[in-house]
Amino acid sequence: METKKYKIGTLCVQAGYRPANGQPRVMPIVQSTTFKYETSEQMARLFDLEESGYFYSRLQNPTCDNVAAKIAALEGGVGAILTSSGQAASFYAVLNICSAGDHIVSATNIYGGTFNLFGVTLRKMGIEVTFVDPDASDDEIKAAFRPETKALFGETLSNPGVAVLDIERFARLAHSHGVPLIVDNTFATPVNCRPIEWGADIVTHSTTKYMDGHATAVGGAIVDSGNFDWEAHADKFPGLTTPDESYHGLTYTKAFGRMAYITKATAQLMRDLGSSQSPQNAFLLNLGLETLHLRVPRHCENAQRVAEYLAARTDKVAWVHYCGLPGDKYYELGRKYLPGGSCGVLSFGLKGGREVAIRFMDSLRLAAIVTHVADARTCVLHPASHTHRQLSDEQLSEAGSAPDLIRFSAGIEDADDIIADIEQALAAE
Ligand code: PLP
């Protein structure tokens, strides 16, 4: 499919799987771990990466590849892979270009799981991270870079604070230090923002969220823009620009050009570490993707209505963060990067703080308390008590998640009903 020719809605429905004459109209689930070949010579060529083809679903599977191709088309990348979770996507996106002794710079207000992955687990592996306030000045962010820095990382819309990342500025900062910008685009989705168009080099997703959209399958994706010139910074990225002994001395940049990064992620990381997505989950993800362009605007409309309602309830509500609200700190950045709407998630605090937040949430009837977000059903979470429970109040504030913060994920129900539910829960206070 000539993906550049089509608009986002068409790509959501039709990119990826393209049946040939007489093949199933609906993308089949290739529920097979392995693939058969006539000769051992043929199989050997696949193992040497001399030919492309399937041999084992830990590395590649046709169902997963079709869905990855759809996500690559949606983001405007040259290639993508699916991973077993968003966490695996963030991990591999970094590990693909970092090893012990290396360093990354990351926005501090990222999802708590990613914050831990970077600050604790990567550190244990010898990869250091410096967290920076994404709204700090250029000079402050530049000061975080070191000679061994290999990437800059941020979220288009931070979870849970829904701060908008100045992607163009972050791309400039990364590129002026000869490293790629990795952007987690989970909350915005390519329907609302395509970070590659603003200079991001690698895009990651927790497909568990809006892309699936129905809370059925945990998954992730990594998209390669193909734009970063690894050879121009060859000394920084030897894993891509020098021979890989585990592939008979093949050099990814020479063998795969603009597909070097994403090919290495499959050939090396999936081979050695697994974390592939199951074909069943990829099938469910694809069903979600087929309606992504219809659901996302509804999520945004509902969140906007909820944000406006909460902002007007100054008797009970202490603050609301939603970049669609005029006067919000991120309103202007939102207009630049997310002109069609941001996402269904907003955050707010109630007068009375943490205790009142917990009581309010317990009084909701339609909105469910779940460890999830970006679902068709409205849901709510108190990060300080749930996802970010392991963080101190100080770390919570650094991560853009104040102790009283309620993360509200507007679903695609009728906005009137969502608001009525909030109203009755506020009245119960
Ligand atoms: N990135 C963001 C922005 C998230 O919100 C999440 C999960 O909430 C993740 C990554 C991790 O994704 P997963 O839960 O699919 O592992």
Side-chain angles (χ1 to χ4, degrees), residues 85-239:
S85 67
Q87 283 300 97
S90 307
F91 180 41
Y92 283 14
V94 171
L95 194 66
N96 206 27
I97 45 173
C98 285
S99 46
D102 288 339
H103 169 258
I104 60 168
V105 179
S106 170
T108 194
N109 59 353
I110 52 174
Y111 165 61
T114 318
F115 188 82
N116 269 321
L117 166 68
F118 289 175
V120 179
T121 302
L122 285 189
R123 234 171 225 154
K124 281 187 194 156
M125 297 171 65
I127 299 168
E128 287 290 318
V129 56
T130 302
F131 290 108
V132 294
D133 174 355
D135 298 327
S137 69
D138 281 6
D139 285 344
E140 283 170 283
I141 297 176
K142 281 180 187 166
F145 282 81
R146 305 178 190 168
E148 66 274 22
T149 302
K150 299 296 163 73
L152 177 61
F153 185 97
E155 290 174 357
T156 309
L157 283 162
S158 67
N159 177 6
V162 283
V164 183
L165 184 72
D166 191 342
I167 303 172
E168 217 171 13
R169 183 169 84 99
F170 257 52
R172 203 173 51 240
L173 287 164
H175 297 159
S176 66
H177 289 85
V179 304
L181 171 64
I182 305 174
V183 172
D184 180 332
N185 197 33
T186 298
F187 273 19
T189 84
V191 171
N192 281 343
C193 179
R194 288 153 56 104
I196 291 171
E197 290 172 359
W198 297 102
D201 302 286
I202 309 295
V203 172
T204 59
H205 279 278
S206 165
T207 60
T208 321
K209 308 295 164 349
Y210 289 115
M211 283 192 167
D212 168 7
H214 302 80
T216 60
V218 173
I222 306 174
V223 184
D224 184 356
S225 70
N227 293 338
F228 193 80
D229 190 348
W230 309 103
E231 289 278 357
H233 309 282
D235 54 323
K236 276 189 190 287
F237 303 105

Side-chain angles (χ1 to χ4, degrees), residues 17-18 23-24 26-37 53-67 82 276-284 286:
Y17 175 65
R18 305 289 296 167
Q23 286 187 339
V26 174
M27 181 184 71
I29 306 174
V30 180
Q31 193 65 42
S32 180
T33 60
T34 193
F35 301 82
K36 178 200 167 240
Y37 287 90
Y54 296 100
F55 50 95
Y56 193 54
S57 288
R58 171 159 33 86
L59 286 98
Q60 278 184 291
N61 169 283
T63 307
C64 297
D65 278 2
N66 282 322
V67 182
L82 299 189
S276 35
Q277 193 169 124
S278 78
Q280 289 275 354
N281 278 6
F283 180 83
L284 292 171
N286 190 51

